[in-house]
């Protein structure tokens, strides 16, 4: 698949529709207090970089990276369109996030995803990329509907040493 991943300004109707679908599904699966997906306005915050993935002129997925502090980032808003699941879009977006995190000098990446069966493919993707279970981070609380995962970044270094 010919895939182009780019930083997205979050202004296009395709991205808005995919994010609406993402939020709707999270709200269908999880109780309100367990939905941690961000809406369009929250994804526009200065501490978040958002990417969209395109193939054949159509949107096929998205992902975001939130800076928690100078050494720690959080993966947010990973979503692949239903028609493109299992075709490497999520993996390509994860590689983009890792590249950016390492450029920023992050030492750790963490994420929150659901614990329900519907999230099993996402958890499998994250495990493939070296994420392991951890406790809540960055203000999250223990929640039976949440799975928290983290991983140390290989080659992480102090930005002050560059």
């Amino acid at each position: 698949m010919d895939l182009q991943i780019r930083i997205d300004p979050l202004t296009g109707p395709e991205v808005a529709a995919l994010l609406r679908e993402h939020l709707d599904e999270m709200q269908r699966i999880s109780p309100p207090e367990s939905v941690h997906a961000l809406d369009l306005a929250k994804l526009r915050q200065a501490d978040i970089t958002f990417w969209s993935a395109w193939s054949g002129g159509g949107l096929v997925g998205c992902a975001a990276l939130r800076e928690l502090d100078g050494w720690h980032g959080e993966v947010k808003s990973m979503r692949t369109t239903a028609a493109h699941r299992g075709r490497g879009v999520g993996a390509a977006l994860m590689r983009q996030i890792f590249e950016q995190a390492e450029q920023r000098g992050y030492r750790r990446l963490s994420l929150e995803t659901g614990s329900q069966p519907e999230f099993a493919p996402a958890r499998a993707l994250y495990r493939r990329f070296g994420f392991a279970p951890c406790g809540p981070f960055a203000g999250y609380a223990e929640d039976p509907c949440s799975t928290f995962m983290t991983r140390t970044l290989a080659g992480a270094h102090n930005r002050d040493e560059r």
Side-chain angles (χ1 to χ4, degrees):
M1 172 186 336
D2 181 35
L3 191 64
Q4 298 87 42
I5 298 174
R6 59 183 180 241
I7 292 178
D8 195 289
L10 294 156
T11 56
E14 302 95 334
V15 169
L18 183 60
L19 290 170
R20 181 76 253 154
E21 173 189 305
H22 181 61
L23 281 169
D24 288 348
E25 185 173 18
M26 298 306 101
Q27 291 166 350
R28 179 183 59 77
I29 296 169
S30 302
E33 67 276 7
S34 298
V35 175
H36 302 290
L38 301 178
D39 65 18
L40 207 53
K42 290 180 181 160
L43 286 167
R44 289 185 177 126
Q45 294 176 18
D47 62 344
I48 295 177
T49 303
F50 183 89
W51 291 273
S52 57
W54 301 79
S55 182
L59 179 66
V60 297
C62 63
L65 176 61
R66 169 186 272 165
E67 182 165 306
L68 299 176
D69 63 39
W71 312 112
H72 192 185
E74 179 183 7
V75 177
K76 295 295 292 181
S77 300
M78 287 284 296
R79 183 73 176 190
T80 301
T81 61
H84 290 87
R85 290 189 185 133
R87 298 178 62 194
V89 174
L93 286 162
M94 284 301 302
R95 286 190 293 275
Q96 180 66 47
I97 288 171
F98 273 75
E99 180 181 310
Q100 183 66 49
E102 290 190 0
Q103 285 177 7
R104 292 180 184 178
Y106 290 172
R107 294 178 179 160
R108 176 166 300 285
L109 279 177
S110 299
L111 61 91
E112 180 277 338
T113 191
S115 61
Q116 300 92 325
E118 293 90 343
F119 295 97
R123 292 189 307 268
L125 172 71
Y126 301 139
R127 281 192 302 273
R128 276 196 355 246
F129 276 85
F131 287 87
C134 68
F137 62 93
Y140 287 104
E142 283 291 343
D143 181 342
C145 294
S146 287
T147 298
F148 301 100
M149 303 179 86
T150 195
R151 69 154 289 165
T152 301
L153 294 175
H157 55 279
N158 187 325
R159 286 180 285 194
D160 296 334
E161 295 173 0
R162 288 186 204 172

